[in-house]
Amino acid sequence: MKKCIYLIFALLIFSACKNESKKPSEAIQNETEKVEFSIIIHGGAGSIRRDNMSEEREAEYRQKLEEAIRVGYTILKEGGTSLDAVQNTINILEDSPLFNAGKGAVFTHEGFNEHDASIMDGKTLNAGASAGTKTIKNPINLARAVMDNSPHVFLSRGGAETFAKEQGLEIVEPNYFSTTKKLKSLERVKASEKNKVASFYDADLQDSKFGTVGCAALDKHGNLAAGTSTGGMTNKRWGRIGDSPIIGAGTYANNNTCAVSSTGWGEFFIRGMVAYDISALMEYKGLSLKEAAKEVIQNKLPNIGDQGATGGIVAIDKDGNMVMEFNTQGMFRAIMNAKGELYIGMFKD
Ligand code: ASP
């Protein structure tokens, strides 16, 4: 009996000690929650110059970029995931006719708006993408649903639309996406094609056709995510799909390295596997995010094929360092860090 009482006593002391030893790890958890979070976005790269933009137009872009990034910032500040921050930030840009994504997407040769999007989770390397959809209001939501609720990574066209309906995503009439500005761009491009016998690859023409949107974020839990959404390139034909929905080209995220969203001349971004290449340079060569992004955008991309390509990326690494690298005249972009400091940029200077 005495032995039994000693045993119960010893067990009580042991369990008290065990509970005590939990405290430091709770404290570590609290500390983890304090880890910096950050968010970075782009609204496309191209011939964005101070001398060809009115003050009113510039203010419109600034206001929309700020509205979008604040949505993601708030999610991150409240402890939400980088995936939610990326998706909800991109939704704001998709709903704005200013950008080439969702409403305001560019027109295909045949006069339609066809959307591509992708999203990637740096923690699990899960990813979702969709291409060539015509009725999904927010293509990034479809990409997220593909990632979360399907056994696949990449859906396209009719099948993707059917899946979106089954998922209860918002469906709109195809003409919801149409804007006069983008229709005029198609007419202009077609006319110059005729006059100059230009090809799809004509640099002067293509440079003014970008406007994809993208976002990369690091959350308080140390997880990275990236996403990209686009209407592609004006005058695209034959079901053309660009880099934006291609994991590794338009979007990539890996908690060991970085999260990247690209914008630019898709054919070259695919051939250069731009987003993954930046991550790979960090992983295998030990480059910093800044060095890797510079190498890919300024040195490798311009030397792919005869043409070389224009465009840029926004990226964030696992420590919260952020980079906005582009080789065009400008790129719509914004950054917000954990302190709530906001930077918005458009032009090269
Ligand atoms: N990268 C996109 C595409 O080629 C275009 C863009 O970024 O504006 O479809």
mmCIF file with all atom_site columns, all heavy atoms in Angstrom, residues 42 44-45 100 116 209-213 228 230-233 236 240-245 262-267 269, ligand 1:
data_model
loop_
_atom_site.group_PDB
_atom_site.id
_atom_site.type_symbol
_atom_site.label_atom_id
_atom_site.label_alt_id
_atom_site.label_comp_id
_atom_site.label_asym_id
_atom_site.label_entity_id
_atom_site.label_seq_id
_atom_site.pdbx_PDB_ins_code
_atom_site.Cartn_x
_atom_site.Cartn_y
_atom_site.Cartn_z
_atom_site.occupancy
_atom_site.B_iso_or_equiv
_atom_site.pdbx_formal_charge
_atom_site.auth_seq_id
_atom_site.auth_comp_id
_atom_site.auth_asym_id
_atom_site.auth_atom_id
_atom_site.pdbx_PDB_model_num
ATOM   1   N N   . HIS A 1 42  ? 2.563  42.639 -58.458 1.00 0.00 ? 42  HIS A N   1
ATOM   2   C CA  . HIS A 1 42  ? 2.800  43.362 -59.711 1.00 0.00 ? 42  HIS A CA  1
ATOM   3   C C   . HIS A 1 42  ? 1.499  43.429 -60.501 1.00 0.00 ? 42  HIS A C   1
ATOM   4   O O   . HIS A 1 42  ? 0.588  42.623 -60.296 1.00 0.00 ? 42  HIS A O   1
ATOM   5   C CB  . HIS A 1 42  ? 3.922  42.718 -60.540 1.00 0.00 ? 42  HIS A CB  1
ATOM   6   C CG  . HIS A 1 42  ? 3.552  41.400 -61.147 1.00 0.00 ? 42  HIS A CG  1
ATOM   7   N ND1 . HIS A 1 42  ? 2.740  41.295 -62.257 1.00 0.00 ? 42  HIS A ND1 1
ATOM   8   C CD2 . HIS A 1 42  ? 3.889  40.128 -60.811 1.00 0.00 ? 42  HIS A CD2 1
ATOM   9   C CE1 . HIS A 1 42  ? 2.596  40.014 -62.566 1.00 0.00 ? 42  HIS A CE1 1
ATOM   10  N NE2 . HIS A 1 42  ? 3.274  39.282 -61.697 1.00 0.00 ? 42  HIS A NE2 1
ATOM   11  N N   . GLY A 1 44  ? 1.845  43.901 -63.988 1.00 0.00 ? 44  GLY A N   1
ATOM   12  C CA  . GLY A 1 44  ? 2.330  43.817 -65.362 1.00 0.00 ? 44  GLY A CA  1
ATOM   13  C C   . GLY A 1 44  ? 3.518  44.716 -65.619 1.00 0.00 ? 44  GLY A C   1
ATOM   14  O O   . GLY A 1 44  ? 3.716  45.740 -64.955 1.00 0.00 ? 44  GLY A O   1
ATOM   15  N N   . ALA A 1 45  ? 4.338  44.298 -66.579 1.00 0.00 ? 45  ALA A N   1
ATOM   16  C CA  . ALA A 1 45  ? 5.518  45.077 -66.979 1.00 0.00 ? 45  ALA A CA  1
ATOM   17  C C   . ALA A 1 45  ? 5.353  45.470 -68.441 1.00 0.00 ? 45  ALA A C   1
ATOM   18  O O   . ALA A 1 45  ? 4.549  44.881 -69.155 1.00 0.00 ? 45  ALA A O   1
ATOM   19  C CB  . ALA A 1 45  ? 6.773  44.222 -66.809 1.00 0.00 ? 45  ALA A CB  1
ATOM   20  N N   . ASN A 1 100 ? -4.639 43.467 -67.069 1.00 0.00 ? 100 ASN A N   1
ATOM   21  C CA  . ASN A 1 100 ? -4.921 42.384 -68.014 1.00 0.00 ? 100 ASN A CA  1
ATOM   22  C C   . ASN A 1 100 ? -5.138 41.071 -67.260 1.00 0.00 ? 100 ASN A C   1
ATOM   23  O O   . ASN A 1 100 ? -4.325 40.154 -67.314 1.00 0.00 ? 100 ASN A O   1
ATOM   24  C CB  . ASN A 1 100 ? -3.742 42.288 -68.994 1.00 0.00 ? 100 ASN A CB  1
ATOM   25  C CG  . ASN A 1 100 ? -3.825 41.053 -69.865 1.00 0.00 ? 100 ASN A CG  1
ATOM   26  O OD1 . ASN A 1 100 ? -4.889 40.456 -70.040 1.00 0.00 ? 100 ASN A OD1 1
ATOM   27  N ND2 . ASN A 1 100 ? -2.676 40.661 -70.415 1.00 0.00 ? 100 ASN A ND2 1
ATOM   28  N N   . ASP A 1 116 ? -5.851 32.742 -68.006 1.00 0.00 ? 116 ASP A N   1
ATOM   29  C CA  . ASP A 1 116 ? -4.937 31.740 -67.448 1.00 0.00 ? 116 ASP A CA  1
ATOM   30  C C   . ASP A 1 116 ? -4.577 32.169 -66.016 1.00 0.00 ? 116 ASP A C   1
ATOM   31  O O   . ASP A 1 116 ? -4.404 33.364 -65.767 1.00 0.00 ? 116 ASP A O   1
ATOM   32  C CB  . ASP A 1 116 ? -3.616 31.684 -68.232 1.00 0.00 ? 116 ASP A CB  1
ATOM   33  C CG  . ASP A 1 116 ? -3.802 31.422 -69.725 1.00 0.00 ? 116 ASP A CG  1
ATOM   34  O OD1 . ASP A 1 116 ? -4.832 30.833 -70.100 1.00 0.00 ? 116 ASP A OD1 1
ATOM   35  O OD2 . ASP A 1 116 ? -2.899 31.812 -70.494 1.00 0.00 ? 116 ASP A OD2 1
ATOM   36  N N   . LYS A 1 209 ? 1.613  45.245 -74.601 1.00 0.00 ? 209 LYS A N   1
ATOM   37  C CA  . LYS A 1 209 ? 0.474  44.341 -74.430 1.00 0.00 ? 209 LYS A CA  1
ATOM   38  C C   . LYS A 1 209 ? 0.422  43.610 -73.097 1.00 0.00 ? 209 LYS A C   1
ATOM   39  O O   . LYS A 1 209 ? -0.446 42.798 -72.892 1.00 0.00 ? 209 LYS A O   1
ATOM   40  C CB  . LYS A 1 209 ? 0.522  43.283 -75.534 1.00 0.00 ? 209 LYS A CB  1
ATOM   41  C CG  . LYS A 1 209 ? 0.253  43.803 -76.909 1.00 0.00 ? 209 LYS A CG  1
ATOM   42  C CD  . LYS A 1 209 ? -0.051 42.627 -77.782 1.00 0.00 ? 209 LYS A CD  1
ATOM   43  C CE  . LYS A 1 209 ? 0.608  42.684 -79.102 1.00 0.00 ? 209 LYS A CE  1
ATOM   44  N NZ  . LYS A 1 209 ? 0.408  41.456 -79.839 1.00 0.00 ? 209 LYS A NZ  1
ATOM   45  N N   . PHE A 1 210 ? 1.373  43.831 -72.243 1.00 0.00 ? 210 PHE A N   1
ATOM   46  C CA  . PHE A 1 210 ? 1.379  43.082 -70.998 1.00 0.00 ? 210 PHE A CA  1
ATOM   47  C C   . PHE A 1 210 ? 0.378  43.672 -69.995 1.00 0.00 ? 210 PHE A C   1
ATOM   48  O O   . PHE A 1 210 ? -0.350 44.584 -70.308 1.00 0.00 ? 210 PHE A O   1
ATOM   49  C CB  . PHE A 1 210 ? 2.789  43.043 -70.406 1.00 0.00 ? 210 PHE A CB  1
ATOM   50  C CG  . PHE A 1 210 ? 3.830  42.510 -71.364 1.00 0.00 ? 210 PHE A CG  1
ATOM   51  C CD1 . PHE A 1 210 ? 5.113  42.999 -71.365 1.00 0.00 ? 210 PHE A CD1 1
ATOM   52  C CD2 . PHE A 1 210 ? 3.504  41.514 -72.261 1.00 0.00 ? 210 PHE A CD2 1
ATOM   53  C CE1 . PHE A 1 210 ? 6.068  42.511 -72.238 1.00 0.00 ? 210 PHE A CE1 1
ATOM   54  C CE2 . PHE A 1 210 ? 4.453  41.012 -73.143 1.00 0.00 ? 210 PHE A CE2 1
ATOM   55  C CZ  . PHE A 1 210 ? 5.739  41.530 -73.129 1.00 0.00 ? 210 PHE A CZ  1
ATOM   56  N N   . GLY A 1 211 ? 0.395  43.190 -68.769 1.00 0.00 ? 211 GLY A N   1
ATOM   57  C CA  . GLY A 1 211 ? -0.534 43.740 -67.765 1.00 0.00 ? 211 GLY A CA  1
ATOM   58  C C   . GLY A 1 211 ? -1.086 42.676 -66.844 1.00 0.00 ? 211 GLY A C   1
ATOM   59  O O   . GLY A 1 211 ? -2.052 42.895 -66.113 1.00 0.00 ? 211 GLY A O   1
ATOM   60  N N   . THR A 1 212 ? -0.459 41.528 -66.899 1.00 0.00 ? 212 THR A N   1
ATOM   61  C CA  . THR A 1 212 ? -0.773 40.428 -65.994 1.00 0.00 ? 212 THR A CA  1
ATOM   62  C C   . THR A 1 212 ? -0.666 40.892 -64.543 1.00 0.00 ? 212 THR A C   1
ATOM   63  O O   . THR A 1 212 ? 0.052  41.845 -64.253 1.00 0.00 ? 212 THR A O   1
ATOM   64  C CB  . THR A 1 212 ? 0.262  39.313 -66.275 1.00 0.00 ? 212 THR A CB  1
ATOM   65  O OG1 . THR A 1 212 ? 0.022  38.822 -67.570 1.00 0.00 ? 212 THR A OG1 1
ATOM   66  C CG2 . THR A 1 212 ? 0.222  38.190 -65.268 1.00 0.00 ? 212 THR A CG2 1
ATOM   67  N N   . VAL A 1 213 ? -1.351 40.201 -63.635 1.00 0.00 ? 213 VAL A N   1
ATOM   68  C CA  . VAL A 1 213 ? -1.200 40.539 -62.218 1.00 0.00 ? 213 VAL A CA  1
ATOM   69  C C   . VAL A 1 213 ? -0.631 39.344 -61.450 1.00 0.00 ? 213 VAL A C   1
ATOM   70  O O   . VAL A 1 213 ? -0.833 38.194 -61.848 1.00 0.00 ? 213 VAL A O   1
ATOM   71  C CB  . VAL A 1 213 ? -2.535 40.983 -61.584 1.00 0.00 ? 213 VAL A CB  1
ATOM   72  C CG1 . VAL A 1 213 ? -3.148 42.121 -62.374 1.00 0.00 ? 213 VAL A CG1 1
ATOM   73  C CG2 . VAL A 1 213 ? -3.526 39.824 -61.455 1.00 0.00 ? 213 VAL A CG2 1
ATOM   74  N N   . THR A 1 228 ? -0.510 34.010 -59.983 1.00 0.00 ? 228 THR A N   1
ATOM   75  C CA  . THR A 1 228 ? -0.472 34.867 -61.168 1.00 0.00 ? 228 THR A CA  1
ATOM   76  C C   . THR A 1 228 ? -1.782 34.686 -61.938 1.00 0.00 ? 228 THR A C   1
ATOM   77  O O   . THR A 1 228 ? -2.304 33.577 -62.009 1.00 0.00 ? 228 THR A O   1
ATOM   78  C CB  . THR A 1 228 ? 0.718  34.466 -62.074 1.00 0.00 ? 228 THR A CB  1
ATOM   79  O OG1 . THR A 1 228 ? 1.907  34.379 -61.275 1.00 0.00 ? 228 THR A OG1 1
ATOM   80  C CG2 . THR A 1 228 ? 0.949  35.465 -63.195 1.00 0.00 ? 228 THR A CG2 1
ATOM   81  N N   . THR A 1 230 ? -3.945 36.182 -65.622 1.00 0.00 ? 230 THR A N   1
ATOM   82  C CA  . THR A 1 230 ? -3.761 36.977 -66.847 1.00 0.00 ? 230 THR A CA  1
ATOM   83  C C   . THR A 1 230 ? -4.793 36.683 -67.925 1.00 0.00 ? 230 THR A C   1
ATOM   84  O O   . THR A 1 230 ? -5.441 35.632 -67.900 1.00 0.00 ? 230 THR A O   1
ATOM   85  C CB  . THR A 1 230 ? -2.361 36.689 -67.451 1.00 0.00 ? 230 THR A CB  1
ATOM   86  O OG1 . THR A 1 230 ? -2.091 37.628 -68.501 1.00 0.00 ? 230 THR A OG1 1
ATOM   87  C CG2 . THR A 1 230 ? -2.283 35.290 -68.041 1.00 0.00 ? 230 THR A CG2 1
ATOM   88  N N   . GLY A 1 231 ? -4.885 37.633 -68.857 1.00 0.00 ? 231 GLY A N   1
ATOM   89  C CA  . GLY A 1 231 ? -5.647 37.396 -70.087 1.00 0.00 ? 231 GLY A CA  1
ATOM   90  C C   . GLY A 1 231 ? -4.712 36.962 -71.198 1.00 0.00 ? 231 GLY A C   1
ATOM   91  O O   . GLY A 1 231 ? -5.135 36.727 -72.323 1.00 0.00 ? 231 GLY A O   1
ATOM   92  N N   . GLY A 1 232 ? -3.414 36.894 -70.893 1.00 0.00 ? 232 GLY A N   1
ATOM   93  C CA  . GLY A 1 232 ? -2.424 36.469 -71.896 1.00 0.00 ? 232 GLY A CA  1
ATOM   94  C C   . GLY A 1 232 ? -1.897 37.637 -72.692 1.00 0.00 ? 232 GLY A C   1
ATOM   95  O O   . GLY A 1 232 ? -1.627 38.695 -72.119 1.00 0.00 ? 232 GLY A O   1
ATOM   96  N N   . MET A 1 233 ? -1.738 37.463 -73.992 1.00 0.00 ? 233 MET A N   1
ATOM   97  C CA  . MET A 1 233 ? -1.212 38.542 -74.834 1.00 0.00 ? 233 MET A CA  1
ATOM   98  C C   . MET A 1 233 ? -2.207 38.862 -75.950 1.00 0.00 ? 233 MET A C   1
ATOM   99  O O   . MET A 1 233 ? -2.801 37.962 -76.544 1.00 0.00 ? 233 MET A O   1
ATOM   100 C CB  . MET A 1 233 ? 0.144  38.143 -75.409 1.00 0.00 ? 233 MET A CB  1
ATOM   101 C CG  . MET A 1 233 ? 1.235  38.189 -74.325 1.00 0.00 ? 233 MET A CG  1
ATOM   102 S SD  . MET A 1 233 ? 2.799  37.490 -74.851 1.00 0.00 ? 233 MET A SD  1
ATOM   103 C CE  . MET A 1 233 ? 3.537  38.876 -75.698 1.00 0.00 ? 233 MET A CE  1
ATOM   104 N N   . LYS A 1 236 ? -3.522 36.838 -79.350 1.00 0.00 ? 236 LYS A N   1
ATOM   105 C CA  . LYS A 1 236 ? -3.072 35.437 -79.263 1.00 0.00 ? 236 LYS A CA  1
ATOM   106 C C   . LYS A 1 236 ? -4.033 34.565 -80.073 1.00 0.00 ? 236 LYS A C   1
ATOM   107 O O   . LYS A 1 236 ? -5.222 34.890 -80.193 1.00 0.00 ? 236 LYS A O   1
ATOM   108 C CB  . LYS A 1 236 ? -2.965 34.988 -77.802 1.00 0.00 ? 236 LYS A CB  1
ATOM   109 C CG  . LYS A 1 236 ? -4.272 34.957 -77.015 1.00 0.00 ? 236 LYS A CG  1
ATOM   110 C CD  . LYS A 1 236 ? -4.028 34.563 -75.550 1.00 0.00 ? 236 LYS A CD  1
ATOM   111 C CE  . LYS A 1 236 ? -5.335 34.488 -74.781 1.00 0.00 ? 236 LYS A CE  1
ATOM   112 N NZ  . LYS A 1 236 ? -5.170 34.146 -73.360 1.00 0.00 ? 236 LYS A NZ  1
ATOM   113 N N   . ARG A 1 240 ? -3.597 29.643 -77.700 1.00 0.00 ? 240 ARG A N   1
ATOM   114 C CA  . ARG A 1 240 ? -2.280 29.905 -77.101 1.00 0.00 ? 240 ARG A CA  1
ATOM   115 C C   . ARG A 1 240 ? -2.364 30.012 -75.561 1.00 0.00 ? 240 ARG A C   1
ATOM   116 O O   . ARG A 1 240 ? -3.267 30.635 -75.012 1.00 0.00 ? 240 ARG A O   1
ATOM   117 C CB  . ARG A 1 240 ? -1.738 31.221 -77.675 1.00 0.00 ? 240 ARG A CB  1
ATOM   118 C CG  . ARG A 1 240 ? -0.374 31.651 -77.131 1.00 0.00 ? 240 ARG A CG  1
ATOM   119 C CD  . ARG A 1 240 ? -0.499 32.724 -76.071 1.00 0.00 ? 240 ARG A CD  1
ATOM   120 N NE  . ARG A 1 240 ? 0.808  33.264 -75.692 1.00 0.00 ? 240 ARG A NE  1
ATOM   121 C CZ  . ARG A 1 240 ? 1.028  34.003 -74.620 1.00 0.00 ? 240 ARG A CZ  1
ATOM   122 N NH1 . ARG A 1 240 ? 0.032  34.308 -73.817 1.00 0.00 ? 240 ARG A NH1 1
ATOM   123 N NH2 . ARG A 1 240 ? 2.230  34.456 -74.337 1.00 0.00 ? 240 ARG A NH2 1
ATOM   124 N N   . ILE A 1 241 ? -1.436 29.401 -74.901 1.00 0.00 ? 241 ILE A N   1
ATOM   125 C CA  . ILE A 1 241 ? -1.326 29.508 -73.445 1.00 0.00 ? 241 ILE A CA  1
ATOM   126 C C   . ILE A 1 241 ? 0.060  30.063 -73.131 1.00 0.00 ? 241 ILE A C   1
ATOM   127 O O   . ILE A 1 241 ? 1.058  29.592 -73.682 1.00 0.00 ? 241 ILE A O   1
ATOM   128 C CB  . ILE A 1 241 ? -1.514 28.127 -72.774 1.00 0.00 ? 241 ILE A CB  1
ATOM   129 C CG1 . ILE A 1 241 ? -2.949 27.624 -73.017 1.00 0.00 ? 241 ILE A CG1 1
ATOM   130 C CG2 . ILE A 1 241 ? -1.229 28.195 -71.272 1.00 0.00 ? 241 ILE A CG2 1
ATOM   131 C CD1 . ILE A 1 241 ? -3.159 26.175 -72.663 1.00 0.00 ? 241 ILE A CD1 1
ATOM   132 N N   . GLY A 1 242 ? 0.110  31.052 -72.262 1.00 0.00 ? 242 GLY A N   1
ATOM   133 C CA  . GLY A 1 242 ? 1.391  31.675 -71.926 1.00 0.00 ? 242 GLY A CA  1
ATOM   134 C C   . GLY A 1 242 ? 2.039  31.028 -70.716 1.00 0.00 ? 242 GLY A C   1
ATOM   135 O O   . GLY A 1 242 ? 1.722  29.898 -70.339 1.00 0.00 ? 242 GLY A O   1
ATOM   136 N N   . ASP A 1 243 ? 2.930  31.781 -70.100 1.00 0.00 ? 243 ASP A N   1
ATOM   137 C CA  . ASP A 1 243 ? 3.667  31.260 -68.948 1.00 0.00 ? 243 ASP A CA  1
ATOM   138 C C   . ASP A 1 243 ? 2.872  31.326 -67.648 1.00 0.00 ? 243 ASP A C   1
ATOM   139 O O   . ASP A 1 243 ? 3.139  30.553 -66.717 1.00 0.00 ? 243 ASP A O   1
ATOM   140 C CB  . ASP A 1 243 ? 4.958  32.069 -68.760 1.00 0.00 ? 243 ASP A CB  1
ATOM   141 C CG  . ASP A 1 243 ? 4.648  33.548 -68.515 1.00 0.00 ? 243 ASP A CG  1
ATOM   142 O OD1 . ASP A 1 243 ? 3.839  34.122 -69.281 1.00 0.00 ? 243 ASP A OD1 1
ATOM   143 O OD2 . ASP A 1 243 ? 5.190  34.122 -67.553 1.00 0.00 ? 243 ASP A OD2 1
ATOM   144 N N   . SER A 1 244 ? 1.917  32.268 -67.584 1.00 0.00 ? 244 SER A N   1
ATOM   145 C CA  . SER A 1 244 ? 1.277  32.558 -66.287 1.00 0.00 ? 244 SER A CA  1
ATOM   146 C C   . SER A 1 244 ? 0.683  31.350 -65.581 1.00 0.00 ? 244 SER A C   1
ATOM   147 O O   . SER A 1 244 ? 0.801  31.233 -64.361 1.00 0.00 ? 244 SER A O   1
ATOM   148 C CB  . SER A 1 244 ? 0.213  33.651 -66.454 1.00 0.00 ? 244 SER A CB  1
ATOM   149 O OG  . SER A 1 244 ? 0.763  34.749 -67.097 1.00 0.00 ? 244 SER A OG  1
ATOM   150 N N   . PRO A 1 245 ? 0.037  30.409 -66.308 1.00 0.00 ? 245 PRO A N   1
ATOM   151 C CA  . PRO A 1 245 ? -0.517 29.268 -65.576 1.00 0.00 ? 245 PRO A CA  1
ATOM   152 C C   . PRO A 1 245 ? 0.477  28.112 -65.451 1.00 0.00 ? 245 PRO A C   1
ATOM   153 O O   . PRO A 1 245 ? 0.103  27.051 -64.939 1.00 0.00 ? 245 PRO A O   1
ATOM   154 C CB  . PRO A 1 245 ? -1.701 28.862 -66.455 1.00 0.00 ? 245 PRO A CB  1
ATOM   155 C CG  . PRO A 1 245 ? -1.242 29.163 -67.832 1.00 0.00 ? 245 PRO A CG  1
ATOM   156 C CD  . PRO A 1 245 ? -0.339 30.370 -67.740 1.00 0.00 ? 245 PRO A CD  1
ATOM   157 N N   . SER A 1 262 ? 5.677  35.946 -62.267 1.00 0.00 ? 262 SER A N   1
ATOM   158 C CA  . SER A 1 262 ? 6.298  36.568 -63.446 1.00 0.00 ? 262 SER A CA  1
ATOM   159 C C   . SER A 1 262 ? 5.289  37.371 -64.254 1.00 0.00 ? 262 SER A C   1
ATOM   160 O O   . SER A 1 262 ? 4.087  37.116 -64.199 1.00 0.00 ? 262 SER A O   1
ATOM   161 C CB  . SER A 1 262 ? 6.846  35.497 -64.397 1.00 0.00 ? 262 SER A CB  1
ATOM   162 O OG  . SER A 1 262 ? 7.593  34.525 -63.728 1.00 0.00 ? 262 SER A OG  1
ATOM   163 N N   . THR A 1 263 ? 5.822  38.278 -65.064 1.00 0.00 ? 263 THR A N   1
ATOM   164 C CA  . THR A 1 263 ? 5.007  38.958 -66.072 1.00 0.00 ? 263 THR A CA  1
ATOM   165 C C   . THR A 1 263 ? 5.894  39.343 -67.243 1.00 0.00 ? 263 THR A C   1
ATOM   166 O O   . THR A 1 263 ? 7.021  39.805 -67.051 1.00 0.00 ? 263 THR A O   1
ATOM   167 C CB  . THR A 1 263 ? 4.303  40.203 -65.524 1.00 0.00 ? 263 THR A CB  1
ATOM   168 O OG1 . THR A 1 263 ? 3.575  40.826 -66.590 1.00 0.00 ? 263 THR A OG1 1
ATOM   169 C CG2 . THR A 1 263 ? 5.258  41.212 -64.903 1.00 0.00 ? 263 THR A CG2 1
ATOM   170 N N   . GLY A 1 264 ? 5.391  39.140 -68.441 1.00 0.00 ? 264 GLY A N   1
ATOM   171 C CA  . GLY A 1 264 ? 6.202  39.488 -69.607 1.00 0.00 ? 264 GLY A CA  1
ATOM   172 C C   . GLY A 1 264 ? 5.864  38.584 -70.773 1.00 0.00 ? 264 GLY A C   1
ATOM   173 O O   . GLY A 1 264 ? 4.789  37.982 -70.819 1.00 0.00 ? 264 GLY A O   1
ATOM   174 N N   . TRP A 1 265 ? 6.791  38.466 -71.630 1.00 0.00 ? 265 TRP A N   1
ATOM   175 C CA  . TRP A 1 265 ? 6.597  37.760 -72.887 1.00 0.00 ? 265 TRP A CA  1
ATOM   176 C C   . TRP A 1 265 ? 6.614  36.254 -72.637 1.00 0.00 ? 265 TRP A C   1
ATOM   177 O O   . TRP A 1 265 ? 7.676  35.623 -72.549 1.00 0.00 ? 265 TRP A O   1
ATOM   178 C CB  . TRP A 1 265 ? 7.726  38.173 -73.813 1.00 0.00 ? 265 TRP A CB  1
ATOM   179 C CG  . TRP A 1 265 ? 7.505  37.919 -75.235 1.00 0.00 ? 265 TRP A CG  1
ATOM   180 C CD1 . TRP A 1 265 ? 6.680  36.976 -75.794 1.00 0.00 ? 265 TRP A CD1 1
ATOM   181 C CD2 . TRP A 1 265 ? 8.119  38.613 -76.312 1.00 0.00 ? 265 TRP A CD2 1
ATOM   182 N NE1 . TRP A 1 265 ? 6.754  37.051 -77.145 1.00 0.00 ? 265 TRP A NE1 1
ATOM   183 C CE2 . TRP A 1 265 ? 7.632  38.041 -77.498 1.00 0.00 ? 265 TRP A CE2 1
ATOM   184 C CE3 . TRP A 1 265 ? 9.044  39.661 -76.384 1.00 0.00 ? 265 TRP A CE3 1
ATOM   185 C CZ2 . TRP A 1 265 ? 8.038  38.486 -78.744 1.00 0.00 ? 265 TRP A CZ2 1
ATOM   186 C CZ3 . TRP A 1 265 ? 9.447  40.093 -77.628 1.00 0.00 ? 265 TRP A CZ3 1
ATOM   187 C CH2 . TRP A 1 265 ? 8.946  39.512 -78.796 1.00 0.00 ? 265 TRP A CH2 1
ATOM   188 N N   . GLY A 1 266 ? 5.406  35.692 -72.534 1.00 0.00 ? 266 GLY A N   1
ATOM   189 C CA  . GLY A 1 266 ? 5.233  34.332 -72.027 1.00 0.00 ? 266 GLY A CA  1
ATOM   190 C C   . GLY A 1 266 ? 6.025  33.252 -72.724 1.00 0.00 ? 266 GLY A C   1
ATOM   191 O O   . GLY A 1 266 ? 6.546  32.336 -72.088 1.00 0.00 ? 266 GLY A O   1
ATOM   192 N N   . GLU A 1 267 ? 6.128  33.354 -74.060 1.00 0.00 ? 267 GLU A N   1
ATOM   193 C CA  . GLU A 1 267 ? 6.828  32.307 -74.812 1.00 0.00 ? 267 GLU A CA  1
ATOM   194 C C   . GLU A 1 267 ? 8.257  32.125 -74.299 1.00 0.00 ? 267 GLU A C   1
ATOM   195 O O   . GLU A 1 267 ? 8.777  31.015 -74.229 1.00 0.00 ? 267 GLU A O   1
ATOM   196 C CB  . GLU A 1 267 ? 6.850  32.665 -76.308 1.00 0.00 ? 267 GLU A CB  1
ATOM   197 C CG  . GLU A 1 267 ? 5.580  32.278 -77.076 1.00 0.00 ? 267 GLU A CG  1
ATOM   198 C CD  . GLU A 1 267 ? 4.336  33.043 -76.647 1.00 0.00 ? 267 GLU A CD  1
ATOM   199 O OE1 . GLU A 1 267 ? 4.466  34.079 -75.970 1.00 0.00 ? 267 GLU A OE1 1
ATOM   200 O OE2 . GLU A 1 267 ? 3.215  32.601 -76.968 1.00 0.00 ? 267 GLU A OE2 1
ATOM   201 N N   . PHE A 1 269 ? 9.346  33.211 -71.209 1.00 0.00 ? 269 PHE A N   1
ATOM   202 C CA  . PHE A 1 269 ? 9.327  32.843 -69.789 1.00 0.00 ? 269 PHE A CA  1
ATOM   203 C C   . PHE A 1 269 ? 9.134  31.333 -69.637 1.00 0.00 ? 269 PHE A C   1
ATOM   204 O O   . PHE A 1 269 ? 9.629  30.728 -68.689 1.00 0.00 ? 269 PHE A O   1
ATOM   205 C CB  . PHE A 1 269 ? 8.221  33.606 -69.043 1.00 0.00 ? 269 PHE A CB  1
ATOM   206 C CG  . PHE A 1 269 ? 8.656  34.986 -68.606 1.00 0.00 ? 269 PHE A CG  1
ATOM   207 C CD1 . PHE A 1 269 ? 8.899  35.986 -69.533 1.00 0.00 ? 269 PHE A CD1 1
ATOM   208 C CD2 . PHE A 1 269 ? 8.835  35.279 -67.267 1.00 0.00 ? 269 PHE A CD2 1
ATOM   209 C CE1 . PHE A 1 269 ? 9.307  37.251 -69.141 1.00 0.00 ? 269 PHE A CE1 1
ATOM   210 C CE2 . PHE A 1 269 ? 9.246  36.543 -66.855 1.00 0.00 ? 269 PHE A CE2 1
ATOM   211 C CZ  . PHE A 1 269 ? 9.482  37.524 -67.792 1.00 0.00 ? 269 PHE A CZ  1
HETATM 212 N N1  . ASP B 2 .   ? 3.075  36.581 -69.356 1.00 0.00 ? 1   ASP B N1  1
HETATM 213 C C1  . ASP B 2 .   ? 1.789  36.807 -69.933 1.00 0.00 ? 1   ASP B C1  1
HETATM 214 C C2  . ASP B 2 .   ? 1.606  35.879 -71.104 1.00 0.00 ? 1   ASP B C2  1
HETATM 215 O O1  . ASP B 2 .   ? 2.525  35.699 -71.853 1.00 0.00 ? 1   ASP B O1  1
HETATM 216 C C3  . ASP B 2 .   ? 1.586  38.208 -70.376 1.00 0.00 ? 1   ASP B C3  1
HETATM 217 C C4  . ASP B 2 .   ? 1.891  39.254 -69.333 1.00 0.00 ? 1   ASP B C4  1
HETATM 218 O O2  . ASP B 2 .   ? 2.634  39.013 -68.411 1.00 0.00 ? 1   ASP B O2  1
HETATM 219 O O3  . ASP B 2 .   ? 1.369  40.348 -69.414 1.00 0.00 ? 1   ASP B O3  1
HETATM 220 O O4  . ASP B 2 .   ? 0.535  35.364 -71.280 1.00 0.00 ? 1   ASP B O4  1
#
